[in-house]
Each structure stands twice: as structure tokens, then as C-alpha cells.
Amino acid sequence: MVSLATPEEYKDKTGFVYDVEKYVMVPHCARLRRVEVEQRQQALKDFVETFPENKMEINSPDIGIITAGMPYNYAKEIFPDYSYLKLGMVYPLPEKLIRNFASNVKKIYVVEELDPFLEEQIKAMGIKVIGKEIFPFTNEFDPGVIKNSIQKNTKEAASTYQENLSPRPPNLCPGCPHRGLFYALKKQKAFVHGDIGCYTLSYMKPLEGLHSCICMGASIGMAHGMSKAMKEKGKGKVVGVIGDSTFLHSGITSLLNMAYNQSDALIIILDNSTTAMTGMQEHPGTGYTLMGKEAKKVNLKNLISSLGIENIKIIDPFNQKETRSVIKEELAKDGPSVIISQSPCVLFKRANIKPKPALKVDPDKCEGCKACLGLNCPPISWKKGITKEGSKRKGISFIDETLCNGCGLCAQVCKFGAIS
Ligand code: SF4
Ligand code: SF4
């Protein structure tokens, strides 16, 4: 049921407020603002005691659960008759309400995922509760975790629901331009620092194309630092990979630092013309704003050159021969290099990529070497037990034509000309 309020007339309240004591945080003003912070905190403590989203349900007088968010639903599903204090606001805590709840039940469990945030604050109030003595510190809960922990009274007994499903790890799409790049990189055996994007998935077997991923924009800085350390020890060259969107968001300053401090790392910008992983958002390199208006489009090559990088190459990652030879060439050079691996995301509508006819494996030509399986492309699978006279093969590859987009990468990888 939705009840409608009377619409309020819009009053434009925008304008400049000149209040330097509020907006300029030099020490003198910060000291004044600290008083405001304390007053606001006290006002919040008063507010939270009557906040309607902190809900108390008194059922069983024996057992009560204090919780917040999703664990409430899990607990309620398993123990509908317990009493509950469901917190809709967890900071500051409603101390009076919690004391009231504690006076209504004999035993209290605090059900919260990961760290004991509520539990520690409630224990600090002098209220006896049971929390991480029996609930796990790790991962998300589900009704099974809560049930087992409470009934067996030990967190070692906690278990998750085991659905009878095959594991389905995420993967790069068929026709993804990143696949060819990472396949070529693996052949070079370089240490690759990754970043945040679809391409992070290439860390998995069999591609194993990147070896670290810390946070957004970190790959270039990590590659720079490691390459400095490795050079001193006479070890190999280091690679950093980063998407076009991430590079423009938080990679430019690290590349400037790399050019300024001249490390030997090779940086590869995976330019797929969009922000694919999070839903195809525009960015300064696409030529459009997030509102869909035409915008100034950053020229990546000019930008990189203006930062002080002299070795810049642009490649098509679907061309394996070129990709491998350019990577090899740049890895052999001293000083920083950048390769722009340019090909739009296969799902990017504006790029209008039309799938080509699906490829097929010729069972007479396939030698069962499994090189194509190394691409980890979803349509390619293995059929065991299909042998051939005069060959050591133990099976053959198979391409599911309903999934293949005909990008041609696997045909380039097969040395026996079995894919066409
Ligand atoms: S790379 Fe070629 S020969 Fe090797 S398994 Fe695949 S199709 Fe068969
Ligand atoms: S052509 Fe080969 S690599 Fe490309 S999508 Fe089809 S199976 Fe995958």
C-alpha cells in the first residue's frame, strides 16, 4: 500500500554559501567544527532511540536475536518464534532500546556477518550476549549457518547450504578481445600486474594471464615499483595491464610517475572503447558523456605521449602474430613502454560487432594437442576417447556453434589447421 503525500512546490534553494569557518578545514576552523561534530553525534543518539526502522519483536521470552540487514531474514526463516531486535541503523546504536530488549529476554545472540561490530558495542554496554563464540567470522551467512551455530553452539559446526550445482566460474565472453592478448602474454612468461575489469578473470586457469590485482588503478604503480626492484636484481621485465576506463579514471598519474622515474615496465592498455564490466558506461575516451551527449574524446596515444612515454604501439589483439611479436619487442626494450590493445568489447552495442559464422574443428585434422583449450573460450570443449590411426591423440576439441562468435582466435592457435 502506497500513501501519497501532497506534492510540495519546488523552491530553488541553490546558491553560494560563504562560510569559511565551515568549508575551509585549516586547524583554527577544524577546532570549531569539532564542537559541531559532537553536537550532531548527540542529536543522532537521541534520534536513533525512536527511529522506526529499529524494530523490536517480542515473541519468546527465552531467546532473543539482535541483528541488522540480511541476517535478520536468515534467522527469522529458521527461528520464527524467537524475539528480535532488528536494527535499521547501526551507528550510533540505540542503547536504551537495546537495554529494553535485553530486559525482555533471557539469552541474546548477536547475528552479524564478518567482524563483531554490534557485538563489541553491546558488550561494552555491559550486556551479556553470545556472538562470535559460535558464529563464523568468515563469508556470508545463510539460514544453515545460523541454525547450525545456534543448535550446535560452536562455530566449527557452521555449514553453508550445499546446492547440488556444478561450479560455473565466470569467464571472458566468446569473441572477447582480451582473450588473445592474455594468451599472447602467457607465452612471454612475464609477471603481469592486473587491474579491475572483466580482464581480471584471465587470472584463472588455463589462461593464467595475470598474477596480481589489488585495487583500481594499482597495476601501473605496482609494475613500476616491481620493475625497479627487479632491475636491481637483474631479473625479468614486468608488465602492468589496465582497461581504458580504469586508465583514464586512476592510471594516468602512475604512468606519469613511470615516465618521470623511467622504470622498465611494459604497460598494456586494454582499450575496448567502454567500461564493460560495470555496464558499458561512457568515459572520457568514448566521445560521449554519461548523459549521452557528444563530448571531447581523449586521444590515448597523444595523452600517453604527453606524459613522457616514447615507446607506444597500437595492436589488434585478434592478430596473434602481431600481438606476440609486439609484446616480445617491447619487453626487450629498456625504459617504459605502452601498448594499446585496441578492439571494442564484443557486447558493446555502438561498436555493432556482427558475429561471423561459427568455426568448426575438423576431426580428421585435429591432433588433440589441446592448444585451443588454452584459450578458455566457452564454446571449446574436449571430447575424450576419439583416437586416430597413426596418431597419439586421446581425444579431440569441439566447438559449440551456438556459442561461437567466429572471432578466429582458436584457428590462429591451432598449428594443425584443424579449425576453420
Ligand atoms: S589446437 Fe587444433 S589440433 Fe590442437 S586440440 Fe585444438 S583443434 Fe585439435
Ligand atoms: S572462433 Fe574460436 S576463439 Fe573465437 S569465439 Fe569461436 S571458439 Fe571462441
Side-chain angles (χ1 to χ4, degrees):
M1 160 102 166
V2 175
S3 46
L4 300 177
T6 317
E8 273 181 35
E9 195 187 327
Y10 173 69
K11 290 193 188 93
D12 188 352
K13 292 181 189 153
T14 52
F16 298 109
V17 176
Y18 297 89
D19 185 351
V20 290
E21 286 188 344
K22 184 173 179 188
Y23 297 122
V24 183
M25 279 306 100
V26 294
H28 156 72
C29 303
R31 280 194 286 270
L32 297 174
R33 293 306 295 171
R34 181 69 210 179
V35 178
E36 296 274 339
V37 168
E38 286 309 314
Q39 285 167 351
R40 191 169 58 222
Q41 193 69 5
Q42 189 51 53
L44 277 170
K45 280 182 183 165
D46 297 339
F47 164 81
V48 79
E49 293 293 349
T50 53
F51 179 52
E53 293 308 317
N54 290 330
K55 290 180 179 153
M56 190 155 80
E57 299 167 27
I58 300 298
N59 301 312
S60 157
D62 297 321
I63 300 179
I65 287 184
I66 301 179
T67 185
M70 205 53 199
Y72 167 79
N73 299 55
Y74 303 145
K76 188 83 182 163
E77 183 179 325
I78 295 293
F79 301 114
D81 300 329
Y82 287 1
S83 294
Y84 284 89
L85 176 58
K86 178 181 183 266
L87 298 169
M89 181 166 166
V90 295
Y91 189 80
L93 281 181
E95 188 171 339
K96 285 183 202 148
L97 188 67
I98 291 170
R99 289 190 187 284
N100 181 2
F101 182 71
S103 69
N104 278 287
V105 287
K106 291 189 189 122
K107 192 177 193 181
I108 300 176
Y109 294 103
V110 176
V111 179
E112 59 187 324
E113 290 167 343
L114 306 176
D115 291 323
F117 177 76
L118 299 174
E119 179 186 334
E120 283 178 356
Q121 290 188 77
I122 297 167
K123 280 182 174 167
M125 294 171 193
I127 298 170
K128 201 172 163 226
V129 294
I130 302 165
K132 293 295 169 187
E133 299 96 309
I134 61 163
F135 294 107
F137 279 90
T138 48
N139 299 327
E140 290 178 23
F141 286 1
D142 59 31
V145 168
I146 297 171
K147 184 176 177 218
N148 284 342
S149 299
I150 289 182
Q151 287 181 341
K152 297 187 181 163
N153 245 326
T154 158
K155 65 182 161 202
E156 279 73 43
S159 71
T160 50
Y161 275 171
Q162 287 297 326
E163 300 280 358
N164 200 13
L165 293 172
S166 311
R168 287 170 296 169
N171 194 354
L172 300 173
C173 305
C176 172
H178 301 326
R179 179 169 282 108
L181 190 272
F182 283 102
Y183 189 81
L185 258 182
K186 187 183 178 183
K187 298 277 165 206
Q188 301 300 327
K189 298 191 168 57
F191 191 96
V192 182
H193 288 284
D195 220 291
I196 308 291
C198 307
Y199 51 91
T200 317
L201 298 173
S202 69
Y203 88 92
M204 284 185 287
K205 286 180 189 293
L207 263 183
E208 296 172 288
L210 61 87
H211 312 101
S212 90
C213 175
I214 306 294
C215 63
M216 197 162 177
S219 61
I220 300 179
M222 302 269 290
H224 169 71
M226 197 190 227
S227 103
K228 285 279 182 195
M230 288 297 162
K231 188 162 189 181
E232 278 168 22
K233 295 185 190 318
K235 303 238 168 111
K237 203 162 172 177
V238 182
V239 178
V241 294
I242 187 164
D244 48 339
S245 174
T246 309
F247 173 65
L248 293 170
H249 177 273
S250 49
I252 300 170
T253 42
S254 336
L255 191 62
L256 175 65
N257 180 48
M258 230 182 94
Y260 178 53
N261 284 299
Q262 287 292 299
S263 60
D264 278 344
L266 163 63
I267 301 304
I268 303 178
I269 298 179
L270 304 159
D271 179 10
N272 63 0
S273 310
T274 186
T275 317
M277 187 177 71
T278 48
M280 308 293 168
Q281 289 85 0
E282 306 291 353
H283 63 63
T286 66
Y288 292 89
T289 68
L290 283 172
M291 306 311 287
K293 272 195 194 161
E294 276 195 48
K296 192 93 183 150
K297 184 174 173 171
V298 169
N299 180 315
L300 279 180
K301 193 172 179 200
N302 290 351
L303 170 64
I304 293 161
S305 163
S306 72
L307 295 176
I309 303 283
E310 284 165 10
N311 296 319
I312 310 169
K313 294 271 165 62
I314 299 179
I315 55 162
D316 170 5
F318 284 108
N319 183 336
Q320 264 301 289
K321 203 170 160 203
E322 180 199 40
T323 302
R324 285 193 213 179
S325 82
V326 172
I327 292 175
K328 200 170 168 192
E329 214 173 277
E330 294 306 313
L331 280 172
K333 285 181 187 165
D334 283 336
S337 308
V338 172
I339 296 174
I340 305 172
S341 173
Q342 214 162 48
S343 185
C345 167
V346 66
L347 302 179
F348 184 36
K349 277 203 179 129
R350 202 164 55 231
N352 201 16
I353 299 167
K354 300 259 187 290
K356 295 184 197 117
L359 269 60
K360 281 197 174 110
V361 177
D362 182 337
D364 294 331
K365 289 187 184 167
C366 178
E367 288 296 328
C369 72
K370 296 189 177 175
C372 55
L373 292 172
L375 288 168
N376 202 24
C377 190
I380 310 178
S381 58
W382 182 245
K383 275 187 182 171
K384 269 201 290 196
I386 303 180
T387 52
K388 186 165 74 168
E389 237 185 84
S391 162
K392 287 183 188 162
R393 86 176 188 193
K394 293 185 173 137
I396 59 166
S397 278
F398 168 77
I399 295 176
D400 180 343
E401 61 181 50
T402 61
L403 293 175
C404 173
N405 102 325
C407 75
L409 202 56
C410 51
Q412 294 176 54
V413 161
C414 178
K415 285 189 212 143
F416 301 96
I419 303 178
S420 59

